Amino acid sequence: MTAMGLLVDVLLGFNYFVLVYFTALNSIYLVLFLVSLREVMRFVRRTFFSDYRQIMQSELTWPISVIIPAHNEEKTIVETVRSLLMVNYREFEVIVVSDGSTDGTLKRLVETFDLSHTDRVYRRSIATRTVRGIYGSLERPT
């Protein structure tokens, strides 16, 4: 057998290996897809009659307060609050706690959401440092 014949045999063997590997791998992916499709269809059938919009807007759902700790988060705080304000829930509030930030976190929030300083009375139920200010939105009163 010549060197050229040996090289052709090696390349053909490698091609067969790749073909078998490709077929086996894609067969496994197909089986996983079919199993997951079956599970998704079962889930959809089970939850078909659940109207989540009605549940989320019901007066029986509990109110939710989302507390965001923000220490020097000037670059990301506006996007974080915006994404939370998109929640489709009947009664919820977003509370941002600026815990001694030294950057412009509070300034960005005030400018973006048109917040104003309020004289709101709050009940101190846990030990904290002195609260220096409470801001609220006139567009989204709580």
Side-chain angles (χ1 to χ4, degrees):
M1 181 172 256
T2 65
M4 189 62 129
L6 182 61
L7 184 60
V8 168
D9 288 342
V10 169
L11 285 176
L12 283 175
F14 181 72
N15 283 341
Y16 288 130
F17 170 76
V18 169
L19 180 65
V20 168
Y21 175 78
F22 175 79
T23 304
L25 185 65
N26 283 302
S27 298
I28 292 170
Y29 286 156
L30 179 64
V31 168
L32 289 174
F33 170 74
L34 293 174
V35 168
S36 64
L37 182 65
R38 189 181 108 216
E39 291 301 316
V40 167
M41 295 305 288
R42 284 178 54 198
F43 175 78
V44 168
R45 269 188 252 122
R46 271 191 316 229
T47 60
F48 181 73
F49 295 107
S50 298
D51 187 3
Y52 292 114
R53 208 172 312 130
Q54 182 180 7
I55 293 170
M56 298 304 270
Q57 298 297 326
S58 170
E59 292 182 17
L60 300 176
T61 57
W62 291 53
I64 293 177
S65 295
V66 179
I67 301 174
I68 306 170
H71 181 75
N72 294 337
E73 297 290 336
E74 179 180 11
K75 295 179 181 176
T76 61
I77 192 65
V78 171
E79 291 78 17
T80 302
V81 172
R82 276 194 180 131
S83 67
L84 284 170
L85 289 175
M86 294 174 64
V87 170
N88 183 21
Y89 197 77
R90 176 174 162 69
E91 187 177 346
F92 80 99
E93 63 182 347
V94 176
I95 302 169
V96 179
V97 179
S98 180
D99 190 13
S101 292
T102 56
D103 64 353
T105 301
L106 181 60
K107 182 181 177 188
R108 290 236 15 227
L109 287 169
V110 168
E111 290 172 355
T112 304
F113 298 105
D114 195 27
L115 302 178
S116 59
H117 193 272
T118 63
D119 293 326
R120 192 159 149 191
V121 177
Y122 72 97
R123 183 176 48 185
R124 189 176 194 170
S125 56
I126 59 172
T128 63
R129 290 187 180 170
T130 303
V131 175
R132 292 188 276 169
I134 298 175
Y135 292 81
S137 171
L138 297 176
E139 293 176 12
R140 295 177 179 262
T142 56

